[in-house]
Amino acid sequence: MTKTNTANTLAACQALDQEDPLRSLRDLFQVPESMIYLDGNSLGVLPKATPARVAAAVAQEWGQDLIKSWNSAGWFQMPLKVGNKIARLIGAKDDEVVAADSTSINLFKVLSAALSIAQADHPEKKVILSELTNFPTDLYIAEALCKERGFSLKLVEAEALQTALQQDVAVLMLTHVNYRTGAMLNMKDMTASAHSVGALTVWDLAHSAGAVPVDLNGSQADFAVGCGYKYLNGGPGAPAFVWVHPKHTDRFWQPLSGWWGHAAPFEFTPDYKPAAGISRYQCGTQPVLSLTALDTALDVFLEVEKLGGMQALRNKSLALTGLFMNLVQAELAGHGFGIATPHEENLRGSQVSLTRSEGAYAIVQALIARSVIGDFRAGDGKSQPDILRFGLTPLYTRFVDVWYAVQHLKEVMDSGEWQQPHFSQKNTVT
Ligand SMILES: *Cc1c(COP(=O)(O)O)cnc(C)c1O
């Protein structure tokens, strides 16, 4: 990858695309022409196979076969079938993952189960430890559960996690790749540290699944959840997923004990009997059309497997993020940007986050007006700076996209274009 680090011309970036062993994957996606899309970490691009597959599910499975499709089209098995496809990307085994509900809801399920296990094994432990800049929904779900279950939520900076891992910690709840900075934690080491004080781990893989190699079993993790609409390209609001280490799955009910998690849902018994294994982490009827879209999108990763698998994706991702950071340093010196993403490869995921003390939102809007799509994440006005976020999905992002994105950013800054007042007007979704 040394070549990438010295690429400082458009021609050099074009050469990197020529040599890219994964370049054919872009053809599997409908990337809008003339758009440089660097937001696959928020909403992945539409796979070309998805519209026809979803249309067939609507016209034939729903339109013609109706209720029969629960059996004939395998609708009922879809959460596990899709779960098995995701399992291959995250170091889980067959029948250890189920695709269902949202990340927030799945987090509620696994965190509840983890607290139940902790309460049974270590009743004196009363703390959920997490990172101050973890994604808010994760913190909100934890906060509510703490209130209900008599635990407290302790939040520290990433660097202070090890020190804060004391005997009082019941659960260490972390997001593997930070949504703001793109910093990646070492799952294996953090899990070992947690276990050494008797704490369980809950990992959020929202910015990891499909973006970086993950080895849940190899890391001895306890619980994990993740997102279907980011790097997995399942479409807006796609079902999320949940994994539980087999040693924990059958110990406690998850609290959303709906009929899809029942051992025999079609016996319609009045009492709840949880299914064995990960099936019990389902709740109720799932969105079949959305599952169909996610199922189709995951087939892209079968192509990835033929081309070197997650490690090949990782190599390209690191080359893209490395190139982006180098070009920003070379082309935008003096424009007041900082880089929040770690330069060390082991410490970053698949995005680059820039900081700037003023104008971050307007600059992102000015880029969007030029069809360079990133996004803005607000700071707290104190220690956390405003962030300009650029997701570099290795499935469909080209090296020339990085080149042009940085050139656009340079033009936006050199011309002062971003200072036009309309770029500062906030939309509902940033
Ligand atoms: C995107 C994201 C979520 C999203 O949760 P939803 O329930 O889908 O809204 C949760 N956690 C993290 C860390 C995320 O990045």
Side-chain angles (χ1 to χ4, degrees), residues 67 101 206 229 238 363 368 392:
I67 196 84
D101 303 323
Y229 53 79
I363 294 165
I368 292 172
L392 300 165

Side-chain angles (χ1 to χ4, degrees), residues 102-105 134-135 137-138 175 179 204 206-207 227 229-230:
S102 67
T103 306
S104 305
I105 291 173
N134 198 345
F135 192 82
T137 203
D138 298 47
T175 296
Y179 82 105
D204 189 328
H207 294 274
C227 198
Y229 53 79
K230 293 174 179 167

Side-chain angles (χ1 to χ4, degrees), residues 22 32 42 68 84 151 158 168 202 247 258 297 300 351 353 397 409:
L22 302 182
S42 246
K68 292 189 291 180
N84 283 340
F151 284 76
D168 58 349
V202 171
K247 73 181 172 212
V300 163
Q351 77 184 51
S353 300
T397 308
L409 181 55

Side-chain angles (χ1 to χ4, degrees), residues 54 58-59 64-65 69 84 108 111-112 127 138 177 205 214 222 225 250 256 331 343 403 414:
V54 173
V58 171
Q64 294 301 316
D65 303 338
S69 287
N84 283 340
F108 179 81
L111 198 51
S112 300
V127 170
D138 298 47
V177 175
L205 305 179
V214 174
D222 297 293
V225 297
D250 294 343
L256 301 178
E331 308 275 322
H343 286 266
W403 171 265
D414 284 345

Side-chain angles (χ1 to χ4, degrees), residues 83-93 96-97 187 205 208-219 224-226 232 241-243 310:
N84 283 340
K85 289 187 181 179
I86 297 170
R88 302 161 76 100
L89 307 176
I90 56 175
K93 299 200 188 82
E96 288 182 0
V97 176
M187 184 182 286
L205 305 179
S208 310
V212 300
V214 174
D215 190 0
L216 287 169
N217 277 305
S219 303
V225 297
L232 299 183
F241 64 88
V242 48
W243 171 84
M310 284 308 299

